Amino acid sequence: MEAKSIEDVRELATEDIMSPWKLAWRRLKKNKLAMLGLYILAIMVLLSVVGPLVSPYTMEQMDLSNIQSPPSLAHPMGTDEVGRDVMTRLFYAGRISLSVGLFAVVISVVIGSVLGGIAGYYGGFIDSLIMRIVDIFMSFPFLPLLITIAAVMSDWKVPPQYRMFVVMILIGILSWPGLARIVRGQILSLREQEFMQAAEALGIRDRRKIFRHLLPNTYASIIVSATLDLGSAILTESSLSFLGLGVTPPTPSWGQMVQVARDLYTLQMQPWLWIPPGICIFLTVMAINLFGDGLRDALDPRLKR
Amino acid sequence: MADDLLAIHDLRTYFYTEDGLVKAVDGVSFKIKKGEVLGVVGESGCGKSITAMSILKLIDPPGKIISGDVIFEGINLIELKEDDIRKIRGASISVIFQEPMTSLNPVFTIGDQIGEAIMLHQDLDKVNARKKAIEMLKTVGIPRADEVVDEYPHELSGGMRQRAMIAMAISCNPKLLIADEPTTALDVTIQAQILELMRNLKNDLGSSVMLITHDLGVVAEMADYVIVMYAGKIVEEAEVVELFKNAKHPYTIGLLQSKPVIMRDEDRLNSIPGQVPNPLHMPSGCYFHPRCSHAMDICRESQPELKEVCEGHKAACWLYEGVI
């Protein structure tokens, strides 16, 4: 009997051993708002991925007998000016908006953490050089640049499906400096820690020290910052597309679908065309921000209990 | 000479700080024989750790090794390129650090960290490195080694972490183990265990140990030969028994007296008056004279050299000038 209880205790003890990520996940689960954000985000992703597959219509299929029709059973969110199903396009637009945001963030995280890591680790001249590049990028006139590039793209007759990639890369390239600063700041203090001296005394190479020993220590901040950046990348894509500078028809994106509201008649008489994509943008970005804030709380080592 | 593993000659490591030049290590020479435990004793800031780090060229700016030779197995480490000395770090010479709490990277499991050095210096793949890591953990006396290997540093106690650090340091069978205050951060019972462990490992592996500490008890227990440092210089060196029995330099005598002895009936513990001199404004003459009860005029004027005061016992003090 006694032996059994010792066995139980041991089992409990092994169950208690958790990686830092599991601990963070457990804390995150307690945060209701963050979980709400996560659920909304999951639903959005699910709809965007699965929606187009189950929809009876395709993105470009025109129902000429039902042009600009209000919501009905056949078209739950109505049709647009050439008779395309708004709901189907909304799903497709979600794919585009979410993936533009995601890829932009991936690009920004890769550039930002690599350059931030290098700047923070080496310090001195290399640090100054990279940080001045960051300053330059941060003072770039973002909108004029994008307008110019959009104009050039139209001039070169870049096909619409490729424009999407240009937008991704541009947002990514223009948004890495913030992350680079965060990573650099953390690495600056991390590299003075004793475990880095220990790593050096083991004869580990610089590259390995930066990317294997230092960067993983900043993953928490990188993830939080990337999550919040995802929201702003989606917003940026929406604004650009709304202004006609980003994703162009016939490829839909949420921002580009809202564009129809520029026409006063549509704004007043056909709300089914612009309200759903507007709500999608709002909900997604809101969900990402809630989730990101929750993540920050969950990953903050100072809140460890 | 053949049994010298490491010979340091006139090592000088200076720090060019914003406030001025700090001579952290100022003309230090010593030798470590094969299989010997060398104790380096001194107060905080006397240059013990900097000396050790200079051996592996682990000095970061504003510090700089100005001059000196570090001959390890016939190779002068000071002249080696960064790429070449990296192959020595962690392989032939490895370091155990003072703070087991912060010397392990918090985001890696113990096994990953031990395995890293093994993979790097012994050309083993991941699976075999892991096996070796478990084996090393068993060697240093960690129970449930096959579970601990997947745990994170924060899940281990201080003593366990120091054991893991030692496992990491000895995983490549180093010829020289530099232990930088390995037991300072641990409580006394654990200290004794760790010292015991280090002594056993030293005997099994046949490596030499450079033991840096300010704890004379640790020195008495572990070391064969002792160096006493003060303000970047060696002030006295001798075999351990000789030094404890027959200390010459007033600083060493002061250190020995400031250690409690159970059988001696004393109301208060002796202490050395004054503080370690500001490294930016070293006193003239002997660096120790402002705190020395035997200070003479000559002590204020010029610096004594390290000379043999009796057989196998060197001290840098004017008191013994002309004894031999």
Side-chain angles (χ1 to χ4, degrees):
Chain A
M1 170 125 184
E2 189 153 86
K4 199 187 170 194
S5 69
I6 289 171
E7 205 55 30
D8 285 348
V9 169
R10 191 167 294 162
E11 207 159 272
L12 252 172
T14 38
E15 263 174 8
D16 259 345
I17 294 163
M18 286 198 289
S19 77
W21 299 115
K22 275 192 204 149
L23 273 173
W25 171 239
R26 207 167 61 165
R27 273 203 296 272
L28 188 68
K29 271 200 291 194
K30 284 188 197 141
N31 186 334
K32 289 204 180 77
L33 270 181
M35 290 315 282
L36 178 72
L38 186 63
Y39 292 142
I40 296 178
L41 201 60
I43 291 168
M44 285 297 177
V45 171
L46 203 69
L47 284 181
S48 307
V49 173
V50 180
L53 303 178
V54 296
S55 162
Y57 309 100
T58 68
M59 179 179 80
E60 282 145 334
Q61 189 183 342
M62 298 176 212
D63 184 353
L64 293 174
S65 58
N66 268 320
I67 288 176
Q68 295 180 339
S69 68
S72 63
L73 265 181
H75 301 283
M77 286 183 190
T79 57
D80 65 4
E81 70 278 6
V82 284
R84 294 175 296 199
D85 182 54
V86 172
M87 195 158 90
T88 308
R89 282 179 71 74
L90 196 68
F91 295 149
Y92 267 107
R95 278 187 180 184
I96 306 289
S97 289
L98 288 172
S99 49
V100 167
L102 201 65
F103 280 104
V105 165
V106 167
I107 291 171
S108 124
V109 163
V110 170
I111 303 180
S113 50
V114 167
L115 287 184
I118 290 172
Y121 179 77
Y122 287 105
F125 174 73
I126 296 173
D127 183 27
S128 310
L129 185 75
I130 292 175
M131 283 304 112
R132 291 305 75 74
I133 295 174
V134 164
D135 289 341
I136 291 171
F137 268 87
M138 279 193 149
S139 38
F140 248 40
F142 192 45
L143 215 51
L145 179 79
L146 286 169
I147 293 173
T148 314
I149 288 172
V152 171
M153 281 200 293
S154 309
D155 206 38
W156 288 352
K157 305 210 164 41
V158 178
Q161 60 265 41
Y162 291 126
R163 285 193 168 205
M164 188 176 109
F165 295 105
V166 177
V167 173
M168 283 177 195
I169 294 167
L170 271 180
I171 298 177
I173 286 179
L174 289 166
S175 62
W176 65 268
L179 192 85
R181 275 195 176 162
I182 294 172
V183 171
R184 167 189 174 262
Q186 294 217 340
I187 298 239
L188 270 181
S189 73
L190 282 169
R191 69 162 181 185
E192 302 299 333
Q193 301 270 322
E194 271 214 333
F195 65 78
M196 285 318 291
Q197 213 185 1
E200 207 172 350
L202 279 180
I204 292 163
R205 288 174 181 284
D206 284 357
R207 208 173 60 196
R208 204 170 163 77
K209 272 190 280 186
I210 300 175
F211 297 115
R212 278 266 306 165
H213 287 245
L214 287 172
L215 271 186
N217 275 290
T218 65
Y219 279 172
S221 343
I222 292 181
I223 289 172
V224 170
S225 155
T227 313
L228 297 175
D229 277 356
L230 178 63
S232 62
I234 290 174
L235 272 187
T236 309
E237 185 276 326
S238 302
S239 338
L240 287 178
S241 301
F242 179 81
L243 293 173
L245 304 172
V247 178
T248 44
T251 318
S253 90
W254 286 335
Q256 186 248 317
M257 286 175 78
V258 179
Q259 197 185 9
V260 294
R262 284 195 298 189
D263 170 4
L264 194 63
Y265 176 76
T266 312
L267 183 70
Q268 287 175 331
M269 307 306 288
Q270 300 171 330
W272 65 86
L273 283 183
W274 54 269
I275 285 181
I279 288 177
C280 279
I281 297 172
F282 165 74
L283 275 183
T284 308
V285 176
M286 188 71 188
I288 289 172
N289 285 341
L290 285 178
F291 180 62
D293 279 338
L295 259 188
R296 187 191 344 248
D297 291 344
L299 290 171
D300 191 340
R302 277 163 298 185
L303 291 176
K304 256 186 198 135
R305 279 178 288 258
Chain B
M1 288 305 257
D3 56 350
D4 282 344
L5 179 71
L6 178 86
I8 294 182
H9 181 68
D10 197 29
L11 181 72
R12 286 166 202 275
T13 304
Y14 293 176
F15 283 79
Y16 297 89
T17 66
E18 276 174 22
D19 300 323
L21 179 66
V22 173
K23 297 178 177 176
V25 178
D26 196 10
V28 164
S29 308
F30 61 86
K31 285 171 185 160
I32 301 178
K33 296 196 187 85
K34 282 197 180 117
E36 183 186 55
V37 177
L38 174 82
V40 181
V41 193
E43 281 167 283
S44 315
C46 71
K48 298 170 297 197
S49 300
I50 303 292
T51 307
M53 293 298 114
S54 301
I55 293 174
L56 283 172
K57 285 179 76 176
L58 287 172
I59 302 291
D60 288 325
K64 199 167 181 254
I65 300 169
I66 298 298
S67 68
D69 299 314
V70 176
I71 315 286
F72 177 75
E73 297 193 302
I75 306 165
N76 191 347
L77 300 185
I78 301 294
E79 286 165 4
L80 280 188
K81 287 204 195 76
E82 188 66 20
D83 273 341
D84 296 321
I85 196 158
R86 204 179 274 135
K87 289 180 190 128
I88 292 189
R89 289 178 192 155
S92 309
I93 304 181
S94 59
V95 187
I96 300 170
F97 285 91
Q98 174 177 356
E99 270 297 339
M101 293 308 195
T102 54
S103 295
L104 291 166
N105 196 331
V107 296
F108 292 125
T109 61
I110 301 294
D112 279 347
Q113 297 192 47
I114 299 176
E116 185 158 41
I118 297 172
M119 283 196 281
L120 190 69
H121 294 295
Q122 299 192 339
D123 258 346
L124 288 179
D125 60 23
K126 221 171 171 161
V127 181
N128 285 317
R130 190 187 144 89
K131 274 186 201 149
K132 179 96 201 257
I134 296 176
E135 194 186 304
M136 292 324 297
L137 287 174
K138 283 184 183 150
T139 312
V140 296
I142 290 186
R144 347 174 256 120
D146 38 357
E147 284 170 40
V148 170
V149 77
D150 291 321
E151 285 178 15
Y152 288 84
H154 70 92
E155 289 160 350
L156 300 182
S157 66
M160 284 297 188
R161 284 191 221 185
Q162 194 59 300
R163 280 174 196 266
M165 280 296 294
I166 293 174
M168 202 147 99
I170 61 167
S171 59
C172 299
N173 301 325
K175 297 194 175 94
L176 174 65
L177 192 60
I178 298 176
D180 190 351
E181 312 221 4
T183 57
T184 308
L186 305 172
D187 50 36
V188 214
T189 48
I190 310 293
Q191 275 190 22
Q193 288 178 11
I194 296 286
L195 289 177
E196 174 78 26
L197 170 70
M198 283 179 61
R199 191 165 32 222
N200 291 340
L201 288 173
K202 192 218 99 187
N203 292 335
D204 293 348
L205 300 170
S207 23
S208 308
V209 178
M210 178 175 170
L211 178 70
I212 299 167
T213 181
H214 55 248
D215 187 340
L216 285 165
V218 172
V219 169
E221 201 158 321
M222 293 282 294
D224 300 315
Y225 194 81
V226 185
I227 287 176
V228 182
M229 284 186 74
Y230 186 77
K233 284 180 176 295
I234 296 178
V235 293
E236 184 162 10
E237 57 173 275
E239 302 253 315
V240 64
V241 181
E242 166 74 9
L243 188 98
F244 275 83
K245 249 202 260 173
N246 196 9
K248 294 288 186 193
H249 197 283
Y251 177 63
T252 317
I253 296 170
L255 277 185
L256 289 171
Q257 281 175 351
S258 57
K259 198 177 152 38
V261 178
I262 290 177
M263 298 307 287
R264 208 160 58 199
D265 195 19
E266 279 169 320
D267 289 342
R268 298 184 127 245
L269 213 50
N270 275 313
S271 65
I272 306 175
Q275 271 156 12
V276 182
N278 180 343
L280 292 168
H281 306 286
M282 283 295 188
S284 61
C286 174
Y287 290 156
F288 189 58
H289 86 255
R291 303 171 69 185
C292 181
S293 50
H294 303 284
M296 304 174 288
D297 284 344
I298 189 165
C299 300
R300 283 179 262 279
E301 280 149 24
S302 59
Q303 227 164 45
E305 275 179 36
L306 190 65
K307 283 185 180 162
E308 200 156 64
V309 287
C310 53
E311 184 72 44
H313 192 150
K314 291 182 189 169
C317 182
W318 288 117
L319 285 174
Y320 305 100
E321 201 67 12
V323 168
I324 285 184

